[in-house]
Amino acid sequence: MSEPKDAPAAKLESGGNDYNLNVHGGSIGPSVIDVSGLYGSSGQFTYDPGFTSTASCKSSITYIDGEEGILLHRGYPIEQLAEKGNFIETCYLLMHGELPNNDELQEFEQAITMHTMVHEQLQKFYSGFRRDAHPMAIMVGVVGALSAFYHDSTDINDPDQRKIASRRLIAKIPTIAAMAYKYHIGQPFAYPQNNLSYAANFLHMCFSVPSEQREVNPILARAMDRIFILHADHEQNASTSTVRLAGSSGANPFACIAAGIACLWGPAHGGANEAALDMLAEIGSVDRIPEFIKRAKDKNDPFRLMGFGHRVYKNYDPRARVMHKTCHEVLGELGIKDDPLLDVAMELERIALSDDYFIEKKLYPNIDFYSGITLKAMGFPTTMFTVLFALARTVGWVSQWNEMIEDPSQRIGRPRQLYIGATHRDYVPVEKR
Ligand code: CMC
């Protein structure tokens, strides 16, 4: 592994003064100009809405090269993890930094599969929600409520408690997600089965019913596992940064993950796969695609092609490549050939990949474009798509949260601002306004 090296200092001239700024090198990727002392020396802040040029932390978990379309977890390419590994191994890798050996894998798998049940009292929370509640609303509430159940793992300064909370979250999130689904569709909850793999157990909890015996299809379980791997972590995206920011105040892990889930829900982030499917349904038929492409290009129309474009990838998202393949495996297994939504999706992909507007702006189909189609084929309603993303991303959030707490340079996150409001003025009583 190449060692990070500091580079020669950068110089900034502002207001007639020169400032020397340290530059820190990473093991790969862009170096960073350290502006942490700039306010102290110059009295000025830096300004970067949307953090397009700002690194908020040091991290050794995930590396993305958006120009080249590379995604590495602890150095391993996502394609290799998705093709050759499984989700439990990926969880271990993200959390511990190395792939597990056989003993480590067994211990970890045992710890995760033995903690899949949730406190029976937690069920009561579900009945407090309306049946038509969005399952993400249920997820935010129930995951946040875990801190009221597992008091023995909320001390963030105790490494053992952090480990227990992390493992609990990874183990229980499929159960909580499946319960949100079952509640949403009015079916009884299905208890976890610890003899099944992580992904197969999740499918069992979602699709089994007490009135009949249903085996989990191993091809669908493998596809589910791959979807989990592909969504496991993605460095400092909006929800992960939310988890880190919430955690920087010392908030307990369950509260931090609930904050991450709330952020993920947005349509520009995890909500995109749901939005992509809704968009395909709105387009409805292949002959209407040109009309929507035209709208996507129109600067005065807020419409965007959901499932296209990415803040970081200006190349084909490597996860989208694997997801594309998985999508076709699932459709093949389920014998789905004549789905109008799929026809629209495939034609949209073809047009967008050959259209100058999308080529020039480097707008490729992202992972959400294909995951939406796959999940629909597997039988999930669109409202569950973001829930599945949250389930898979929990390990990433937990790993990033642990890394932050163990980082000695960690302080409470507190961005500054450029104030553009009214200057000092005196209060005027209502009758004089
Ligand atoms: N359809 C049409 N035009 C687009 C699209 C799109 N999906 N995405 C970006 N553009 C245009 C945009 O109008 C802008 O044009 P111009 O330069 O003429 O003003 C240009 O491309 C750059 O867009 P941006 O908004 O500055 O890019 P961003 O990095 O801020 O946004 C994004 C990234 C993902 C929010 C955006 O591409 C988007 O809204 N995509 C649709 C939603 C989506 O699929 N999100 C899932 C992201 S992947 C999952 C995840 O990581 O959470």
Side-chain angles (χ1 to χ4, degrees):
M1 205 185 289
S2 50
E3 284 300 308
K5 286 192 192 73
D6 283 353
K11 282 196 194 323
L12 173 77
E13 196 194 315
S14 178
N17 295 314
D18 287 334
Y19 302 96
N20 282 331
L21 301 167
N22 290 332
V23 177
H24 308 301
S27 43
I28 33 173
S31 54
V32 299
I33 301 172
D34 184 343
V35 293
S36 57
L38 188 63
Y39 176 61
S41 53
S42 73
Q44 285 177 310
F45 299 137
T46 54
Y47 179 59
D48 182 16
F51 302 105
T52 51
S53 299
T54 298
S56 60
C57 61
K58 290 181 184 171
S59 180
S60 52
I61 300 176
T62 292
Y63 172 75
I64 301 174
D65 183 333
E67 296 298 327
E68 296 296 324
I70 293 171
L71 168 61
L72 308 177
H73 289 321
R74 305 282 191 182
Y76 295 101
I78 188 67
E79 297 89 336
Q80 291 184 24
L81 294 170
E83 297 283 347
K84 300 178 186 170
N86 63 42
F87 183 64
I88 286 288
E89 263 186 335
T90 306
C91 289
Y92 187 97
L93 174 70
L94 289 169
M95 287 180 67
H96 298 278
E98 297 296 335
L99 284 168
N101 64 27
N102 225 352
D103 290 349
E104 288 163 340
L105 182 59
Q106 274 187 21
E107 187 276 329
F108 184 68
E109 198 157 22
Q110 176 81 356
I112 299 298
T113 54
M114 287 301 150
H115 290 93
T116 48
M117 282 177 59
V118 290
H119 195 291
E120 201 67 3
Q121 188 73 9
L122 203 74
Q123 289 192 11
K124 301 263 192 312
F125 272 79
Y126 288 82
S127 49
F129 288 101
R130 285 171 52 138
R131 289 275 177 188
D132 62 357
H134 195 290
M136 277 299 271
I138 300 180
M139 293 297 287
V140 175
V142 174
V143 172
L146 290 178
S147 41
F149 284 82
Y150 301 106
H151 311 283
D152 59 342
S153 56
T154 52
D155 179 358
I156 63 151
N157 298 314
D158 177 347
D160 282 338
Q161 292 204 25
R162 287 206 303 273
K163 181 172 160 186
I164 295 168
S166 303
R167 290 182 168 198
R168 272 186 176 146
L169 276 157
I170 297 167
K172 295 183 196 307
I173 199 89
T175 314
I176 293 168
M179 287 169 78
Y181 173 56
K182 285 296 199 191
Y183 184 75
H184 188 52
I185 58 169
Q187 285 186 4
F189 299 136
Y191 283 101
Q193 291 214 337
N194 293 351
N195 60 327
L196 294 175
S197 73
Y198 191 87
N201 177 45
F202 177 64
L203 292 178
H204 152 76
M205 290 189 289
C206 287
F207 297 119
S208 72
V209 284
S211 48
E212 50 183 84
Q213 192 76 23
R214 285 185 193 168
E215 295 298 320
V216 176
N217 178 329
I219 295 188
L220 299 190
R222 178 72 189 117
M224 190 80 263
D225 192 76
R226 214 171 263 161
I227 292 173
F228 291 161
I229 297 173
L230 295 177
H231 288 86
D233 191 51
H234 213 225
E235 53 118 307
Q236 309 312 320
N237 54 82
S239 57
T240 301
S241 299
T242 302
V243 170
R244 280 184 177 258
L245 196 55
S248 76
S249 74
N252 75 67
F254 305 106
C256 295
I257 301 305
I261 295 173
C263 175
L264 186 75
W265 194 0
H269 191 8
N273 50 13
E274 181 176 347
L277 244 268
D278 290 345
M279 177 195 73
L280 294 179
E282 193 190 344
I283 297 176
S285 60
V286 168
D287 56 302
R288 292 190 67 206
I289 294 177
E291 177 195 328
F292 284 84
I293 295 267
K294 196 169 159 225
R295 285 186 61 196
K297 293 180 189 176
D298 182 355
K299 273 199 168 302
N300 299 317
D301 189 329
F303 175 78
R304 282 186 170 199
L305 278 191
M306 300 313 281
F308 284 79
H310 199 276
R311 167 58 65 80
V312 178
Y313 294 114
K314 302 303 169 197
N315 200 324
Y316 217 96
D317 176 344
R319 302 169 303 169
R321 261 186 231 290
V322 183
M323 202 58 240
H324 179 254
K325 196 170 155 221
T326 303
C327 178
H328 284 279
E329 278 169 18
V330 167
L331 298 173
E333 173 64 15
L334 296 172
I336 299 175
K337 288 194 194 84
D338 301 320
D339 183 329
L341 281 196
L342 198 62
D343 294 344
V344 174
M346 295 306 137
E347 182 59 8
L348 193 60
E349 179 197 27
R350 193 191 65 73
I351 294 179
L353 285 175
S354 56
D355 187 295
D356 284 348
Y357 173 91
F358 291 89
I359 294 170
E360 273 162 27
K361 294 191 187 300
K362 299 183 175 171
L363 298 170
Y364 294 88
N366 59 45
I367 184 172
D368 292 317
F369 184 67
Y370 299 109
S371 64
I373 301 164
T374 314
L375 295 173
K376 176 181 179 285
M378 289 171 80
F380 288 104
T382 50
T383 47
M384 274 300 284
F385 292 0
T386 320
V387 174
L388 297 176
F389 191 162
L391 187 173
R393 185 54 59 83
T394 295
V395 64
W397 291 329
V398 157
S399 306
Q400 301 267 354
W401 173 81
N402 275 295
E403 185 182 63
M404 180 198 68
I405 293 183
E406 285 160 17
D407 179 353
S409 65
Q410 188 267 325
R411 300 169 73 188
I412 186 167
R414 177 44 170 106
R416 305 307 293 257
Q417 63 171 12
L418 175 66
Y419 179 68
I420 54 166
T423 54
H424 180 105
R425 46 185 173 163
D426 289 323
Y427 178 82
V428 181
V430 69
E431 59 280 6
K432 295 202 174 150
R433 275 177 234 156

